[in-house]
Amino acid sequence: MSTLVVVGAQWGDEGKGKITDYLAEQAELVVRYQGGNNAGHTVVVDKREFKLHHIPSGILYPGKTCIIGNGVVINPRVLFQELDNLHACGVDTSGLRISDIAHVILPYHLELDSAQEERRGAGSIGTTQKGIGPAYVDKVHRSGLRVIDLVEGDFRQRLETAIAEKNEELVRLYGREPLDAGAIIDEYADWAGKLRPLVTDTSLLINQAIDAGKKVLFEGAQGTLLDIDHGTYPFVTSSSPVAGGACTGAGVGPTRIDRVMGVAKAYTTRVGAGPFPTELTDGVGEIMRREGREFGTTTGRPRRCGWPDAVLLRYAARLNGMEYLALTKLDVLDGLREIKVAVAYRYQGQVISEFPHSPAVLAQCQPIYETLPGWEADLTQVRRQEDLPREAVAFIERLEELSGTKIALLSVGPEREQTIIRDEYQLF
């Protein structure tokens, strides 16, 4: 086994950054395969917190080969700010490589994202306004600018034409000020020079590594329920965070993927609008938000919190072919007298055991809970599974039964060493 895909099994923000960082020690390549700087992966090493948006979480291991794949949309300004921040902390980023066919986020994508969300008003979908959606629109529309166009082609005329078209849309449709084409072209010419040494055919690089028997870790951003096809549409992202997205977003065939690990919190969160059956608006939800530090890495918005949802986890397991699950923030549940787990939904008098596609149906679903006893122990100090309180073990085992996946990793705090491997599972 040499390839492993790590995916979010909920609405994103599950702690994939920490899990990827933990597993990256064993990998020789770490590949980010979709999304843009709307992702926020927080990793804590030796009590220092790193917030990553474009760069794979494995970058914190010296000399590690980290790849930004073709499925990612890249904002050069944000990318190089991130690199500068890492360099200031003494992090070696010499192993970073960027796909030549990844698409580029431009200033007009951010303006359009903001203008469109503003126009939606009460019907807004909670976009991060980082230009992600409009960049993917241009990609599908076949009018986007790729990294290879920036570093090898004569992009100036093409970009000038695109800016003129986008300015017309911004001014006529949204009443915004036009963008300065000359300033944008000059800025992106500078980015092109900085990008050039990092750019390569990453699909070739990844496949050569797999051929050589090297361990490759694929890192997804966002989560299953934010997938453009399979998520709670339209309250979704604009790419495919599910495991299948690793194939198209990194340029590898499906037979190259050996295993899939989902990442889920011991409770459930989501950012932005959209239905959320197990959401808590009481004191328990506030405890989860406070103890879990549930504020968006990218946006800073407070996350909505709720009880764990086994219906959702079963859906994620099916879509991703998840063999394993990493359960994060188990310590946040410390001290709760009881823990509720949604085992099914009730909709118009009927019991639903599978996750519905319709947001209108989901919005009316009432969770059917099973109640388990909580625990009093401080899990942040636990390092071995045999030291877990029996109530925590019972909770973990019940989630395994309900989700149909093996819980192989437990996270009981933000640091690397606050990670417990269960039953000596062989992940790679």
Side-chain angles (χ1 to χ4, degrees):
M1 298 290 183
S2 64
T3 58
L4 175 66
V5 181
V6 174
V7 300
Q10 296 164 318
W11 275 290
D13 308 308
E14 302 96 346
K16 295 180 298 297
K18 178 194 169 170
I19 299 302
T20 301
D21 170 78
Y22 183 81
L23 295 169
E25 185 176 17
Q26 305 172 51
E28 289 158 281
L29 272 77
V30 182
V31 184
R32 166 81 181 277
Y33 62 83
Q34 48 73 225
N37 61 303
N38 55 337
H41 292 175
T42 301
V43 180
V44 179
V45 180
D46 296 329
K47 303 192 183 304
R48 298 178 69 187
E49 188 174 76
F50 297 88
K51 294 181 183 293
L52 304 172
H53 299 278
H54 277 307
I55 300 172
S57 303
I59 199 69
L60 299 178
Y61 290 95
K64 186 76 67 177
T65 299
C66 290
I67 291 172
I68 297 177
N70 58 272
V72 179
V73 286
I74 299 170
N75 184 326
R77 181 183 298 172
V78 175
L79 172 66
F80 284 102
Q81 284 175 349
E82 196 171 329
L83 282 169
D84 288 345
N85 290 338
L86 289 171
H87 295 158
C89 294
V91 176
D92 174 14
T93 65
S94 61
L96 182 65
R97 298 292 180 269
I98 298 171
S99 171
D100 55 352
I101 55 174
H103 277 247
V104 178
I105 298 172
L106 289 138
Y108 52 71
H109 292 134
L110 280 77
E111 282 293 312
L112 286 168
D113 202 353
S114 171
Q116 289 163 1
E117 186 74 341
E118 183 180 290
R119 172 161 286 201
R120 292 185 186 107
S124 65
I125 58 175
T127 171
T128 58
Q129 301 188 32
K130 303 295 181 182
I132 309 300
Y136 277 115
V137 167
D138 281 358
K139 177 178 179 176
V140 176
H141 189 254
R142 296 166 293 181
S143 59
L145 190 75
R146 301 176 302 170
V147 170
I148 195 169
D149 303 320
L150 199 62
V151 302
E152 292 186 8
D154 183 8
F155 69 92
R156 292 174 180 270
Q157 181 58 51
R158 185 172 163 188
L159 187 51
E160 188 173 353
T161 301
I163 294 169
E165 292 175 355
K166 301 297 183 182
N167 273 342
E168 186 172 4
E169 183 178 356
L170 286 166
V171 172
R172 290 177 176 268
L173 188 58
Y174 298 109
R176 297 283 181 111
E177 291 295 317
L179 299 174
D180 184 337
I184 294 172
I185 291 169
D186 289 344
E187 179 186 0
Y188 276 71
D190 288 341
W191 296 135
K194 292 183 177 181
L195 281 168
R196 196 168 286 115
L198 306 175
V199 174
T200 189
D201 180 347
T202 54
S203 170
L204 178 62
L205 192 62
I206 296 164
N207 279 279
Q208 287 175 337
I210 296 172
D211 289 340
K214 294 182 178 181
K215 293 180 179 180
V216 181
L217 181 62
F218 296 90
E219 176 188 33
Q222 288 86 40
T224 298
L225 275 296
L226 293 176
D227 186 89
I228 186 66
D229 287 299
H230 302 287
T232 48
Y233 192 90
F235 306 101
V236 294
T237 193
S238 302
S239 58
S240 293
V242 295
C247 296
T248 54
V252 299
T255 56
R256 295 291 188 138
I257 304 300
D258 293 323
R259 283 184 173 143
V260 178
M261 170 178 275
V263 182
K265 284 174 182 164
Y267 48 103
T268 311
T269 65
R270 76 172 301 176
V271 172
F276 182 178
T278 66
E279 182 174 13
L280 294 169
T281 56
D282 59 6
V284 176
E286 188 54 44
I287 289 171
M288 292 174 177
R289 184 176 298 109
R290 182 183 68 247
E291 297 301 318
R293 299 172 64 190
E294 294 297 352
F295 298 90
T297 303
T298 299
T299 63
R301 291 180 293 184
R303 297 181 183 131
R304 300 156 64 191
C305 299
W307 291 119
D309 188 337
V311 183
L312 184 157
L313 291 177
R314 285 196 298 272
Y315 180 62
R318 168 164 59 88
L319 286 176
N320 292 292
M322 281 164 26
E323 183 176 356
Y324 294 122
L325 192 64
L327 194 65
T328 64
K329 296 197 174 184
L330 189 61
D331 56 296
V332 173
L333 302 183
D334 288 357
L336 295 181
R337 292 182 59 188
E338 61 181 29
I339 299 167
K340 295 182 179 181
V341 181
V343 297
Y345 301 147
R346 192 177 304 281
Y347 172 69
Q348 295 186 349
Q350 295 184 334
V351 174
I352 298 176
S353 59
E354 298 296 337
F355 197 83
H357 284 158
S358 167
V361 171
L362 187 62
Q364 296 181 55
C365 283
Q366 298 299 314
I368 298 173
Y369 286 119
E370 180 176 308
T371 302
L372 300 171
W375 54 86
E376 294 296 331
D378 178 6
L379 296 192
T380 62
Q381 304 304 312
V382 176
R383 297 295 179 268
R384 303 182 307 166
Q385 63 173 338
E386 53 264 38
D387 294 332
L388 290 166
R390 57 184 175 81
E391 296 88 354
V393 173
F395 171 69
I396 293 161
E397 291 178 346
R398 187 59 178 140
L399 277 187
E400 284 186 318
E401 293 171 1
L402 291 168
S403 66
T405 56
K406 305 166 189 172
I407 296 179
L409 287 181
L410 302 173
S411 175
V412 292
E415 294 280 353
R416 283 175 179 166
E417 63 269 19
Q418 292 177 298
T419 309
I420 301 167
I421 301 179
R422 296 187 68 238
D423 302 323
E424 299 302 318
Y425 286 119
Q426 183 65 39
L427 303 178
F428 266 121

